[in-house]
Amino acid sequence: MSEIAATTVHEAYAFACMKCGYGWEQSYEIEHHVDVHGHAFVVYTADGERVPSPLSTPTCANCGGHVVRIMRAGRVAGVQQLLRKQRTPRAPETAAKDRAVSTAAAPARHWRLSDLLHPFHRK
């Protein structure tokens, strides 16, 4: 036997590309092993396939960029849900009231994921 499986944990991360604004989430099974020499190593699997550590050099599936922000799970899903709500048609009377209020309060703005992540940019 060349290795002994110590533990398996499940982790999920949210990712956002700082180049194109594409966001996604991925769940991983992280297997902690110890080889016959006593050295610990970790194996990541996603959707049943072995993958490199998402924490080392994540790559954007949309543009291939490597400037990717890693966040706790749920961040991208939350932004996507917010964007869907903004695009969902509402009853005409509700939509008219909302337009009147938003026009009086501030100009309309279309949010991109990169806009919402702006506070996280390092200077």
Side-chain angles (χ1 to χ4, degrees), residues 23-77:
W24 71 99
E25 296 196 14
Q26 181 66 55
S27 297
Y28 297 90
E29 287 188 6
I30 306 167
E31 301 171 1
H32 295 265
H33 297 271
V34 178
D35 67 14
V36 294
H37 303 290
H39 300 121
F41 66 97
V42 179
V43 174
Y44 289 84
T45 57
D47 301 324
E49 293 188 31
R50 188 174 180 162
V51 296
S53 168
L55 306 176
S56 57
T57 54
T59 302
C60 176
N62 187 52
C63 73
H66 295 291
V67 182
V68 176
R69 169 88 45 203
I70 303 169
M71 303 167 285
R72 64 180 155 75
R75 297 291 298 258
V76 172

Side-chain angles (χ1 to χ4, degrees), residues 42-120:
V42 179
V43 174
Y44 289 84
T45 57
D47 301 324
E49 293 188 31
R50 188 174 180 162
V51 296
S53 168
L55 306 176
S56 57
T57 54
T59 302
C60 176
N62 187 52
C63 73
H66 295 291
V67 182
V68 176
R69 169 88 45 203
I70 303 169
M71 303 167 285
R72 64 180 155 75
R75 297 291 298 258
V76 172
V79 170
Q80 289 172 339
Q81 184 179 19
L82 175 67
L83 292 174
R84 273 193 301 276
K85 282 183 182 178
Q86 290 177 346
R87 293 184 197 134
T88 304
R90 289 175 261 160
E93 62 277 355
T94 305
K97 287 179 190 174
D98 289 348
R99 274 196 304 275
V101 170
S102 66
T103 304
R109 177 157 167 88
H110 295 282
W111 291 96
R112 295 184 321 231
L113 182 59
S114 57
D115 292 332
L116 297 173
L117 296 174
H118 183 72
F120 299 106

Side-chain angles (χ1 to χ4, degrees), residues 10-23:
H10 300 277
E11 291 283 337
Y13 300 100
F15 303 89
C17 179
M18 298 291 104
K19 182 177 177 185
C20 71
Y22 180 71

